[in-house]
Amino acid sequence: MLHLRLIVPADRTDEVTGLLERTAGTAHLVVLPGVARDPAGDVVLCDVAREAGDELIGALRRLGVDRYGAVTVAGLDLTLSARAEKAERAAPGEGADAVLWEELSEATHEESTFSITYLAFLAVATMLAACGVMLDNAVLIVGAMAVGPEFGPLAGISTALVQRAPHLVWRSLWALVGGFAAAMVLTSGFSWLMDLFGLFDRDMIEADRPNTAFVWQPDWLSFVVAFLAGIAGTLSLTSAKSGALIGVAISVTTVPAAANAAVAFSYSDYAQMSGSARQLLENLGGIVLAGTLTLITQKALWRAAQRRQRAQEPPAAAEGSG
């Protein structure tokens, strides 16, 4: 279930509560007249089944509640109520399959912002991966994959493409391309500094590295893994199961490939640099493609489920009235 808190001008409260009462899947409607101060108005509270949430939020925005008042949505981990159970049965589809597009757009918008924190995480992850490839240490590679924040802008690109939001596409691309470019430049400098202190040397980059050689040797399997990871990552975002993102992060070779490219460049090993760049592009492309196709599929399946539900509503209503 989702919990909605609305601030509504007093002269629009009846219109909004009417919408909530007509929406299948709502429960626990509460109206607190005149308690809101900024903006001034009534506070309207209700719970709604997740599967009905996206349509209801869209209807509230069409009424302009977000412009003349406020709409706040929070997830509920536990609701003990017979009325809530009835609301969930009445809502179309299954909650686990529902996509809250407003929530997804907001989350990917925040995660795809080129910020100091984002760059710091990406740069540290890339430097950590540089240590991993130079030492041929798979544990460091996995750690670097987990730290990297690059899935945010990748998901942002997919979401923006499906939602046809060009401004978010460019914002996410800037975070992705600019972030990796800056992180790789910083990692090249880090490699030079480590060489100066005698911790890195050319023999390490040119040695046989059975545990990490895959980083700069891309093949079709690399693309397949990235594609599957993109599906899993997108599903974890849309179903609010963020824990799955850790598994996604450590299954794709983005940060390690960028790190190997940066280190190889610092030692003028252009063959490894080229292979690492191809690995990076394959993984980024596979994730974006998978994410976009996953969202398109979810959107189509959800619309089909809603159509089936609406087609069954008249007979069900007739049974209930009898």
Side-chain angles (χ1 to χ4, degrees), residues 29-297:
L29 178 61
V30 177
V31 179
L32 304 175
V35 299
R37 292 293 178 265
D38 185 18
D42 301 338
V43 172
V44 179
L45 309 173
C46 78
D47 296 335
V48 60
R50 181 180 175 87
E51 50 269 43
D54 188 66
E55 187 172 355
L56 177 57
I57 293 169
L60 289 170
R61 295 198 68 176
R62 286 190 293 274
L63 288 179
V65 178
D66 58 318
R67 296 192 302 275
Y68 57 68
V71 178
T72 303
V73 184
L76 297 177
D77 294 328
L78 178 64
T79 303
L80 301 178
S81 165
R83 182 66 186 85
E85 293 178 2
K86 181 180 179 181
E88 289 184 322
R89 289 194 299 269
E94 296 293 332
D97 297 331
V99 179
L100 296 178
W101 291 99
E102 294 287 347
E103 179 185 55
L104 181 61
S105 297
E106 183 66 24
T108 53
H109 181 276
E110 182 178 348
E111 294 295 325
S112 60
T113 301
F114 190 98
S115 63
I116 297 298
T117 302
Y118 168 81
L119 179 57
F121 269 113
L122 189 55
V124 168
T126 308
M127 292 177 192
L128 184 61
C131 295
V133 297
M134 294 297 275
L135 297 173
D136 195 33
N137 188 317
V139 174
L140 290 177
I141 293 294
V142 171
M145 290 175 173
V147 172
E150 72 280 7
F151 192 81
L154 290 169
I157 293 172
S158 297
T159 302
L161 289 173
V162 175
Q163 293 293 84
R164 299 177 183 178
H167 64 286
L168 183 56
V169 172
W170 292 115
R171 183 189 184 96
S172 301
L173 275 175
W174 165 238
L176 191 67
V177 176
F180 268 112
M184 291 168 72
V185 168
L186 291 171
T187 301
S188 294
F190 171 75
S191 176
W192 175 84
L193 189 62
M194 295 290 279
D195 185 88
L196 186 65
F197 288 129
L199 298 175
F200 284 2
D201 59 54
R202 179 177 292 274
D203 290 340
M204 296 172 73
I205 191 70
E206 294 179 351
D208 291 334
R209 290 177 283 150
N211 292 323
T212 58
F214 70 92
V215 169
W216 61 279
Q217 295 174 348
D219 53 26
W220 277 105
L221 189 57
S222 301
F223 180 83
V224 170
V225 170
F227 189 86
L228 295 175
I231 295 174
T234 303
L235 290 174
S236 73
L237 284 178
T238 57
S239 64
K241 297 185 181 297
S242 57
L245 281 176
I246 299 299
V248 172
I250 62 176
S251 63
V252 291
T253 316
T254 49
V255 167
N260 200 77
V263 174
F265 175 78
S266 67
Y267 285 105
S268 302
D269 189 335
Y270 299 119
Q272 281 203 44
M273 185 187 75
S274 175
S276 300
R278 290 198 306 273
Q279 180 77 273
L280 176 61
L281 293 175
E282 278 191 20
N283 278 265
L284 296 178
I287 293 172
V288 170
L289 178 61
T292 303
L293 293 177
T294 300
L295 290 174
I296 290 173
T297 302

